């Protein structure tokens, strides 16, 4: 896990909030979020890397959104969702949050 | 009626539509067209068909569900039809299901369900064009599965 200074954390959080707003707007009405992996906002989110993972997990805790799953997988290379729960959005969000807690993220 | 929807889909108001549900992330257009309101159907999430982002993945999925390609989107007795959309890059974008009365039902990604008069109502920058119409024999004599 990358350790950031408080100033760096604030900078990442500020950049993330701006990108999150744009990502939610970009994915509105869309069912094929995987096809947006070349979108500039997706690319910027993934480029922020591991420091935004806990921020995304907190977003999922507030409101599960499918569009975050592809970003999390893009950053981490992981898919912690058991096959039996595939497609169940609330359960997928919980699986990601549990995954984060197991890795020490404060979510 | 919704100004946001009509802004996103410029043909919608002229075509005629009704908002039929509140917004939910629980399912998307493909799941809805397939008769499943409990899951989000997308490659990488849940997808009981050939994987991929392109139209072939979407047509392959509906082929697995018993659909075959057909020519027109007009209502045919004893059949149910889906309209499959893709953008200019060839990525699938949307699936709409025809109801027994000839109208179409669409779940708009993570947003609401609407009823619309024709598949053309949703053409535009977001969903691109209708690239395939497919049909299958209605599972019930009275028509739709939803």
């Amino acid at each position: 896990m990358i350790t950031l200074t408080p100033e760096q954390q604030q900078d990442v959080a500020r950049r993330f909030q701006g990108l999150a707003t744009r990502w939610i707007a970009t994915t509105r009405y869309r069912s094929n979020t995987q096809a947006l992996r070349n979108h500039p906002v997706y690319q910027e989110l993934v480029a922020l890397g591991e420091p935004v993972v806990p921020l995304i997990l907190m977003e999922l805790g507030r409101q599960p959104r499918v569009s975050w799953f592809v970003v999390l997988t893009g950053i981490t290379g992981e898919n912690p969702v058991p096959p039996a729960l595939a497609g169940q959005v609330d359960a997928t969000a919980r699986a990601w949050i549990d995954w984060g807690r197991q890795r020490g993220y404060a979510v | 009626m919704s100004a946001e929807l009509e802004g996103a889909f410029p043909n919608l108001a002229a075509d005629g539509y009704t908002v039929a549900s509140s917004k939910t992330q629980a399912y998307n257009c493909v799941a809805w067209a397939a008769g499943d309101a409990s899951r989000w159907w997308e490659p990488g999430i849940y997808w009981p068909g050939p994987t991929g982002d392109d139209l072939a993945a979407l047509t392959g999925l509906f082929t697995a569900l018993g659909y075959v390609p057909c020519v027109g989107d007009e209502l045919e007795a004893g059949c149910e039809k889906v309209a499959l959309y893709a953008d200019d890059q060839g990525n699938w974008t949307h699936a709409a299901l025809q109801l027994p009365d000839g109208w179409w039902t669409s779940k708009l990604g993570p947003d609401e369900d609407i009823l619309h008069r024709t598949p053309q109502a949703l053409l535009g920058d977001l969903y691109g064009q209708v690239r395939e119409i497919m049909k299958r024999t209605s599972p019930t004599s009275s028509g739709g599965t939803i």
Side-chain angles (χ1 to χ4, degrees):
Chain A
M1 190 180 302
I2 298 172
T3 302
L4 301 178
T5 66
E7 292 77 17
Q8 289 172 322
Q9 289 177 356
Q10 288 180 356
D11 181 58
V12 167
R14 178 183 53 76
R15 294 168 66 189
F16 173 75
Q17 287 306 326
L19 287 168
T21 300
R22 291 167 61 195
W23 183 239
I24 290 167
T26 297
T27 54
R28 189 166 187 193
Y29 303 125
R30 293 187 186 272
S31 286
N32 190 356
T33 58
Q34 310 281 329
L36 296 173
R37 285 172 293 197
N38 290 326
H39 194 281
V41 177
Y42 173 88
Q43 295 288 337
E44 288 186 61
L45 281 164
V46 171
L48 286 176
E50 190 264 340
V52 299
V53 168
L55 302 176
I56 296 173
L57 296 176
M58 284 189 280
E59 287 286 323
L60 284 181
R62 280 191 285 270
Q63 181 177 355
R65 290 181 186 273
V66 170
S67 55
W68 289 124
F69 301 155
V70 64
V71 178
L72 283 169
T73 297
I75 293 171
T76 68
E78 303 262 359
N79 180 5
V81 185
L85 300 179
Q88 298 178 38
V89 175
D90 287 349
T92 297
R94 285 195 297 273
W96 271 109
I97 291 167
D98 289 345
W99 171 91
R101 286 178 177 147
Q102 289 166 8
R103 278 153 184 79
Y105 294 114
V107 290
Chain B
M1 302 301 108
S2 162
E4 287 186 333
L5 280 175
E6 292 169 20
F9 301 101
N11 297 333
L12 195 57
D15 192 81
Y17 77 103
T18 303
V19 176
S21 80
S22 56
K23 297 175 184 179
T24 173
Q25 297 260 339
Y27 59 96
N28 64 347
C29 64
V30 180
W32 184 241
D36 181 0
S38 67
R39 281 178 291 209
W40 183 283
W41 289 32
E42 180 179 352
I45 297 176
Y46 174 80
W47 193 258
T51 193
D53 296 332
D54 60 0
L55 182 64
L58 190 59
T59 57
L61 175 73
F62 280 96
T63 298
L65 295 174
Y67 287 84
V68 296
C70 66
V71 175
D73 61 19
E74 70 282 356
L75 187 64
E76 287 184 42
C79 290
E80 60 181 24
K81 294 185 176 181
V82 289
L84 308 181
Y85 300 68
D87 62 20
D88 290 344
Q89 288 73 49
N91 292 318
W92 69 264
T93 55
H94 184 64
L97 174 69
Q98 191 176 38
L99 296 170
D101 65 1
W103 278 57
W104 296 74
T105 179
S106 281
K107 174 68 164 59
L108 304 177
D111 292 272
E112 53 269 86
D113 308 339
I114 63 167
L115 301 175
H116 48 104
R117 190 179 302 276
T118 74
Q120 287 68 43
L122 298 179
L123 302 187
D125 291 343
L126 268 175
Y127 289 171
Q129 301 289 320
V130 176
R131 304 292 186 185
E132 189 80 64
I133 302 288
M134 302 182 79
K135 70 177 182 181
R136 71 177 178 185
T137 303
S138 296
T140 65
S141 58
S142 60
T145 58
I146 295 173

